[in-house]
């Protein structure tokens, strides 16, 4: 249990949040949401003690242990993977080190014997005899194979380090667990494993994530940081979003009678309760929603960008034909080989691969930014494309302000360009900022505005949710679901993929897997799992 009493955090004149009074209890998972810069990570740092609150106190339950997902991936480079994970349980690790020192003494005294006896008792109470096997189980579940359990962390790849840090945080069944963006750099199989692990976790979890499917799968409550306040709501992210949108519509419709509003809200709660995620927490979450007071449902003051793609013309029957495409990296690694497919009218295709560089290479090739080693591609004569690359650095090496920068990519006067920037939440003096000083999220919103100017009937999106906040992701997702053209994209966002794609193409070193099916069916199909193992050459 974590009790937050009268907490505020202020940097100079800027107040992130003020007068926060919350209690986080065992058996619940709390998803912390808020716009970029609202203070989500700061709130976690304050709870774990990395940052002092300006006012107030934070207390754990008596004798409880707090575990935090480390953001420093270099701190543990000199330690083995196994030791790094076990160091996550600081109490047990300290006992283990004391035992080692005492047992190594040549002049072992009676006093040392008493100390060892006491340590052995505590060691057994903490299940120390199973310490290594428990750590190994976590590592294997997170995709770290046994042959790497005793290598140095410094010898691992960045993605492997992320998994080790996550295993360290989960190790030892902590009473309170703080996770800041735990799904970053995890593949879909590992994210699914983590979802199931947390759904069965019996203690207190606070998590910050931009992955809506993950939040929906694991969270019983939503903690919203908005305009200097932190409010707690029952239900997962989708419930919070849908209920806040419903409340906003009701607020705008002033003619609706109070009783009619209440009935509409109650019916919404009943419908949502019947359709909550099928996880271990379904029963408890449903009970929470059934007990929810409709007065708790408030409209969010958060602003959503106006992401609206409107094709100038309907695409014809020939969209894109790819024949025999192959590509290797400079060091000879095969990204994909002999790729053949036709994109049909109405296709919204997610491209998958175990190697993210494969999707990027394909998108760069079909946008004439990179040459294939072999093969051809051909766009239909009616097709106009808009491309969102994963790396937009080169677009912003400029001293132009936002209006002039956007003006390079379309026809129209300053007022017209300001209208597109306004949709993307740039207003007032912001539009005169130099593009070179923009944040990652601001650059992505500029790139989306640039795409909208093209009125294209085929969108090519390389991990489009990178750097975006939940509001921008939600707005982007909502528009793509109803977009009338074709979409070719890659993504780490489960909800984004599941709600947009009607076709899956997976690039492997030995060809492709091409299926007309939704994403959830694709990742759960035993047949597809066998086929993927064969295509990747798994043993």
């Amino acid at each position: 249990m974590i009790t937050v009493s009268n907490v505020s955090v202020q940097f100079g004149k800027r107040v992130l949040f003020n007068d926060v009074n919350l209690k986080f209890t065992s058996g619940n998972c709390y998803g912390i949401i808020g716009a970029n810069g609202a203070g989500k990570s700061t709130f976690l740092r304050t709870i774990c003690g990395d940052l002092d609150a300006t006012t107030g106190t934070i207390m754990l339950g008596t004798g409880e242990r707090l575990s935090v997902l480390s953001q420093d991936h270099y701190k543990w480079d000199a330690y083995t993977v196994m030791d790094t994970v076990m160091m996550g349980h600081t109490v047990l690790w300290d006992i283990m080190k004391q035992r080692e020192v005492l047992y190594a003494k040549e002049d072992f005294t009676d006093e040392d014997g008493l100390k060892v006896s006491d340590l052995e008792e505590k060691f057994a109470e903490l299940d120390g005899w199973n310490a290594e096997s428990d750590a190994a189980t976590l590592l294997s579940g997170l995709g770290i194979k046994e042959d790497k359990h005793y290598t140095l962390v410094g010898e691992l790849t960045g993605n492997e380090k992320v998994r080790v840090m996550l295993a360290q945080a989960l190790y030892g069944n902590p009473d309170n667990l703080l996770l800041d963006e735990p799904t970053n750099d995890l593949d879909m199989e590992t994210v699914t494993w983590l979802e199931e692990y947390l759904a069965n976790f019996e203690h207190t979890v606070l998590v910050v994530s931009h992955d809506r499917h993950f939040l929906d799968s694991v969270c019983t409550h939503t903690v919203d940081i908005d305009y200097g306040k932190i409010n707690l709501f029952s239900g997962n992210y989708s419930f919070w979003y849908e209920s806040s949108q419903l409340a906003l519509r009701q607020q705008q419709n002033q003619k609706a009678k109070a009783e009619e509003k209440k009935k509409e809200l109650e019916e919404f709660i009943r419908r949502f309760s019947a359709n909550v995620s099928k996880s271990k927490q379904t029963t408890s979450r449903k009970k929470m929603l059934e007990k929810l007071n409709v007065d708790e449902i408030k409209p969010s003051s958060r602003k959503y960008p106006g992401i609206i793609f409107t094709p100038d013309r309907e695409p014809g029957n020939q969209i894109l034909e790819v024949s025999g495409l192959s590509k290797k990296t400079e060091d000879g690694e095969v990204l994909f080989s002999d790729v053949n497919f036709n994109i049909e009218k109405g296709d919204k295709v997610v491209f998958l691969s175990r190697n993210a560089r494969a999707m990027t290479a394909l998108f760069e090739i079909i946008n004439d930014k990179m040459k294939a080693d072999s093969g051809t591609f051909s766009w239909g004569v009616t097709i106009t494309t808009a491309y969102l690359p994963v790396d937009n650095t080169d677009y912003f090496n400029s001293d132009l302000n936002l209006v002039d920068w956007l003006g390079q990519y379309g026809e129209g006067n300053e007022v017209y360009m300001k209208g597109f920037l306004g949709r993307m939440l740039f207003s007032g003096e912001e539009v005169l900022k130099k593009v070179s000083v923009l944040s990652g999220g601001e650059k992505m919103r500029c790139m989306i505005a640039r795409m909208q100017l093209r009125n294209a009937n085929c969108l090519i999106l390389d991990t489009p949710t990178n750097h975006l906040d939940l509001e921008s992701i939600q707005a982007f997702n909502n528009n793509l679901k109803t977009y009338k053209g074709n979409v070719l994209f890659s993504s780490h966002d489960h909800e984004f993929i599941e709600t947009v794609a009607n076709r899956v193409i997976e690039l492997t070193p030995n060809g492709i897997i091409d299926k007309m099916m939704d994403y959830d069916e694709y990742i759960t199909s035993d047949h597809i799992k066998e086929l993927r193992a064969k295509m990747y050459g798994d043993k």
Side-chain angles (χ1 to χ4, degrees):
M1 182 175 69
I2 301 171
T3 304
V4 179
S5 303
N6 302 314
V7 165
S8 64
V9 172
Q10 182 173 346
F11 299 107
K13 293 182 179 180
R14 186 188 178 205
V15 178
L16 274 185
F17 40 82
N18 188 40
D19 194 28
V20 179
N21 291 277
L22 295 171
K23 183 175 289 187
F24 303 108
T25 56
S26 185
N28 291 316
C29 179
Y30 301 85
I32 301 173
I33 64 172
N36 285 345
K40 301 183 293 294
S41 296
T42 299
F43 186 52
L44 289 189
R45 291 180 60 207
T46 304
I47 289 175
C48 73
D50 282 351
L51 182 71
D52 291 333
T54 307
T55 64
T57 60
I58 295 169
M59 301 288 291
L60 301 182
T62 304
E64 290 187 349
R65 187 168 70 87
L66 177 71
S67 185
V68 183
L69 176 59
S70 174
Q71 302 297 314
D72 186 349
H73 298 166
Y74 300 97
K75 180 179 179 180
W76 318 94
D77 281 359
Y79 299 94
T80 68
V81 169
M82 182 62 69
D83 283 353
T84 299
V85 173
M86 292 194 296
M87 288 164 76
H89 193 328
T90 54
V91 177
L92 178 59
W93 181 256
D94 183 56
I95 290 172
M96 291 170 68
K97 293 294 102 179
Q98 289 184 58
R99 288 169 73 246
E100 287 180 12
V101 170
L102 288 171
Y103 282 130
K105 289 182 67 174
E106 294 183 1
D107 54 341
F108 194 85
T109 65
D110 289 343
E111 185 179 353
D112 292 331
L114 292 173
K115 289 181 181 178
V116 165
S117 178
D118 184 48
L119 289 172
E120 289 291 359
E121 184 177 348
K122 293 177 181 177
F123 182 74
E125 287 175 358
L126 295 172
D127 202 22
W129 297 110
N130 293 316
E132 288 199 19
S133 63
D134 290 345
T137 299
L138 276 175
L139 287 166
S140 296
L142 287 164
I144 302 296
K145 295 181 179 179
E146 290 184 17
D147 59 359
K148 293 190 175 182
H149 289 187
Y150 293 93
T151 60
L152 295 179
V153 172
E155 297 174 9
L156 302 180
T157 66
N159 287 355
E160 289 171 333
K161 284 185 178 182
V162 168
R163 289 164 163 76
V164 173
M165 296 300 96
L166 194 48
Q168 183 191 68
L170 300 176
Y171 181 70
N173 199 29
D175 302 290
N176 303 282
L177 180 60
L178 307 186
L179 302 173
D180 193 350
E181 296 291 357
T183 63
N184 280 2
D185 297 313
L186 299 183
D187 58 30
M188 291 301 184
E189 290 87 351
T190 310
V191 172
T192 300
W193 179 92
L194 182 59
E195 287 175 354
E196 292 176 355
Y197 185 93
L198 292 178
N200 288 288
F201 192 73
E202 297 178 351
H203 303 301
T204 306
V205 184
L206 275 67
V207 58
V208 172
S209 178
H210 285 91
D211 186 328
R212 294 162 299 156
H213 184 275
F214 179 77
L215 290 176
D216 281 351
S217 296
V218 305
C219 292
T220 58
H221 296 74
T222 298
V223 179
D224 182 31
I225 304 179
D226 196 5
Y227 284 84
K229 299 294 182 183
I230 301 183
N231 295 304
L232 177 64
F233 301 93
S234 296
N236 59 19
Y237 173 77
S238 286
F239 180 79
W240 172 86
Y241 173 74
E242 296 293 346
S243 61
S244 67
Q245 292 294 297
L246 173 59
L248 180 60
R249 291 193 297 271
Q250 288 190 338
Q251 185 183 71
Q252 294 167 344
N253 182 12
Q254 297 296 331
K255 295 180 181 179
K257 294 180 181 179
E259 190 60 32
E260 290 175 354
K261 288 182 180 182
K262 184 175 181 180
K263 286 181 179 178
E264 186 178 8
L265 288 167
E266 288 174 340
E267 175 58 25
F268 167 75
I269 292 170
R270 279 194 293 272
R271 282 190 290 105
F272 198 91
S273 295
N275 293 299
V276 289
S277 300
K278 294 180 180 179
S279 72
K280 297 293 184 183
Q281 295 174 336
T282 297
T283 302
S284 60
R285 186 180 297 130
K286 183 174 179 179
K287 288 178 180 177
M288 289 174 199
L289 296 178
E290 288 171 342
K291 294 177 182 177
L292 183 63
N293 185 337
V294 294
D295 293 333
E296 289 185 37
I297 297 180
K298 308 286 185 188
S300 171
S301 57
R302 208 105 81 250
K303 294 181 179 179
Y304 291 78
I307 300 178
I308 305 170
F309 295 105
T310 52
D312 263 346
R313 65 183 296 184
E314 185 178 345
N317 292 325
Q318 184 182 350
I319 311 298
L320 172 66
E321 182 178 351
V322 170
S323 178
L325 279 189
S326 298
K327 186 65 181 177
K328 294 180 181 178
T329 63
E330 291 182 359
D331 59 5
E333 181 184 2
V334 176
L335 296 177
F336 51 81
S337 64
D338 194 27
V339 170
N340 300 276
F341 61 81
N342 282 318
I343 302 300
E344 306 289 343
K345 192 173 181 177
D347 283 351
K348 294 182 179 179
V349 186
V350 61
F351 287 84
L352 308 177
S353 178
R354 290 183 182 176
N355 189 338
R357 292 180 296 174
M359 285 95 74
T360 295
L362 177 67
F363 293 154
E364 290 281 286
I365 289 168
I366 64 176
N367 280 282
D368 286 321
K369 306 290 186 184
M370 179 187 290
K371 295 292 184 183
D373 296 334
S374 63
T376 61
F377 67 92
S378 175
W379 289 101
V381 294
T382 64
I383 303 305
T384 53
T385 63
Y387 178 38
L388 185 66
V390 68
D391 183 3
N392 57 38
T393 306
D394 291 343
Y395 289 87
F396 296 96
N397 292 330
S398 168
D399 287 329
L400 295 175
N401 63 40
L402 270 66
V403 176
D404 293 338
W405 179 87
L406 188 59
Q408 301 175 101
Y409 303 109
E411 297 179 0
N413 59 24
E414 182 176 306
V415 173
Y416 183 71
M417 295 303 159
K418 284 183 176 179
F420 276 90
L421 290 169
R423 286 187 195 174
M424 302 309 298
L425 307 182
F426 295 107
S427 59
E429 295 299 312
E430 281 187 310
V431 300
L432 300 178
K433 284 198 303 189
K434 293 186 183 299
V435 296
S436 57
V437 303
L438 297 178
S439 68
E442 289 173 328
K443 288 178 180 177
M444 282 294 287
R445 284 189 275 131
C446 282
M447 292 295 288
I448 294 169
R450 169 183 171 273
M451 292 181 70
Q452 290 179 91
L453 284 173
R454 290 187 56 79
N455 294 321
N457 55 24
C458 183
L459 306 179
I460 305 162
L461 312 169
D462 194 349
T463 48
T465 60
N466 276 7
H467 304 294
L468 294 180
D469 57 22
L470 278 169
E471 291 69 49
S472 298
I473 293 171
Q474 190 74 56
F476 208 159
N477 197 166
N478 288 347
N479 183 246
L480 290 186
K481 287 190 287 187
T482 57
Y483 175 66
K484 299 300 183 183
N486 290 91
V487 185
L488 313 179
F489 72 105
S490 64
S491 180
H492 300 300
D493 188 309
H494 188 127
E495 186 74 9
F496 201 92
I497 299 172
E498 173 61 19
T499 55
V500 173
N502 58 15
R503 180 177 174 185
V504 180
I505 295 179
E506 184 157 6
L507 306 171
T508 82
N510 299 299
I512 67 169
I513 304 170
D514 186 352
K515 297 292 181 182
M516 290 293 298
M517 61 172 59
D518 64 40
Y519 180 65
D520 279 343
E521 183 182 357
Y522 185 87
I523 62 174
T524 56
S525 166
D526 290 336
H527 169 68
I528 297 296
K529 289 176 183 177
E530 292 174 4
L531 186 56
R532 294 180 77 225
K534 180 180 178 181
M535 296 296 282
Y536 284 106
D538 293 346
K539 295 180 179 179

